[in-house]
Amino acid sequence: MDKQKIADSIRAIYDYPKPGIIFRDITTLIGDGEIFHEVIELLRQRYQNEHIDFVASIEARGFIFGAALSYALGVGFIPIRKKGKLPYTTMSGKYSLEYGFDEVEIHIDALRGKAEARVVLVDDLIATGGTAEASIKLLESMGAQCIEAAFLINLKGLGGEQKLAPTSVFSIVDYEEK
C-alpha cells in the first residue's frame, strides 16, 4: 500500500466551509477505482482475521467506506445516523458541538441478538472525535465490543484520537493541521 498515493488522491480545498479551514475532499479518492479499491483492500486485510461480526459506520461519508468493507468481509453493516433519520425504534448517544449538542442513533436490533458482537467502527475522518466517541459508547451500551475505530483521515492536531481511548484508532492518512 502506498500511503502517499492515497494521500495525494485527497483534494485539499482551502477556506471551506469558512476561512482558515482546509477541507479534505474524499470525492477524488472514491472517484479513482484503483485507489478506492486499495483503501478497502487495506482495511479488509487489517480486519480479516479479527472475527468481526459487524462494521458500523457514521453517516454519510463513513457509509461509503463502511459498506464496502462490510461487503469485503462478508459481515453485517450497522448504520449510525443523526437523530430522527432511522425508521425503527432506536437508542441514541449525545455528543458535544462547539455550541451545544447533537445526537446519533442506532436501531435497537442492530446487533441481531448477538451477545458481545465484535464491531469495527469506520468513518472517513476523525477530527475532534465527538461523533465517533458517542458512536462507540452507543455500541458498547448495546453489548458490542468495538475492537477498533478506523478512519481514512486523522486530523491529529485536533485530539480526536485521544478522546476515543481506550479504543484503539487506525488511520491511513494523518494530517497535523489544527
Side-chain angles (χ1 to χ4, degrees), residues 21-36:
I21 301 292
I22 304 171
F23 184 84
R24 300 298 176 172
D25 180 14
I26 63 161
T27 62
T28 47
L29 180 149
I30 62 176
D32 184 318
E34 179 184 325
I35 294 175
F36 184 45

Side-chain angles (χ1 to χ4, degrees), residues 15-147:
D15 297 320
Y16 181 84
K18 62 183 185 179
I21 301 292
I22 304 171
F23 184 84
R24 300 298 176 172
D25 180 14
I26 63 161
T27 62
T28 47
L29 180 149
I30 62 176
D32 184 318
E34 179 184 325
I35 294 175
F36 184 45
H37 180 269
E38 190 171 328
V39 167
I40 299 305
E41 182 59 18
L42 182 151
L43 293 171
R44 184 194 68 77
Q45 289 175 13
R46 182 169 183 86
Y47 299 111
Q48 70 183 352
N49 296 319
E50 294 296 325
H51 309 289
I52 301 298
D53 297 301
F54 298 97
V55 173
S57 287
I58 304 165
E59 75 170 288
R61 293 181 304 263
F63 287 2
I64 297 166
F65 299 96
L69 178 59
S70 174
Y71 175 81
L73 291 172
V75 301
F77 176 75
I78 299 174
I80 299 173
R81 302 208 58 197
K82 300 284 185 181
K83 185 172 179 60
K85 300 289 186 178
L86 290 171
Y88 187 62
T89 307
T90 61
M91 292 180 64
S92 65
K94 288 187 178 184
Y95 60 98
S96 297
L97 297 170
E98 189 175 354
Y99 300 104
F101 295 91
D102 208 346
E103 285 184 73
V104 289
E105 293 183 326
I106 188 171
H107 279 144
I108 60 168
D109 61 353
L111 299 178
R112 305 277 184 239
K114 181 154 182 70
E116 299 180 14
R118 293 176 56 82
V119 178
V120 62
L121 178 70
V122 177
D123 203 359
D124 67 316
L125 179 141
I126 183 168
T128 61
T131 310
E133 179 185 35
S135 298
I136 290 168
K137 286 180 179 176
L138 192 52
L139 287 162
E140 289 174 345
S141 74
M142 298 178 71
Q145 177 189 3
C146 187
I147 63 131

Side-chain angles (χ1 to χ4, degrees), residues 145-166:
Q145 177 189 3
C146 187
I147 63 131
E148 193 163 68
F151 303 92
L152 172 65
I153 299 167
N154 184 353
L155 302 181
K156 292 188 86 66
L158 298 178
E161 187 173 354
Q162 291 78 16
K163 189 179 273 187
L164 301 189

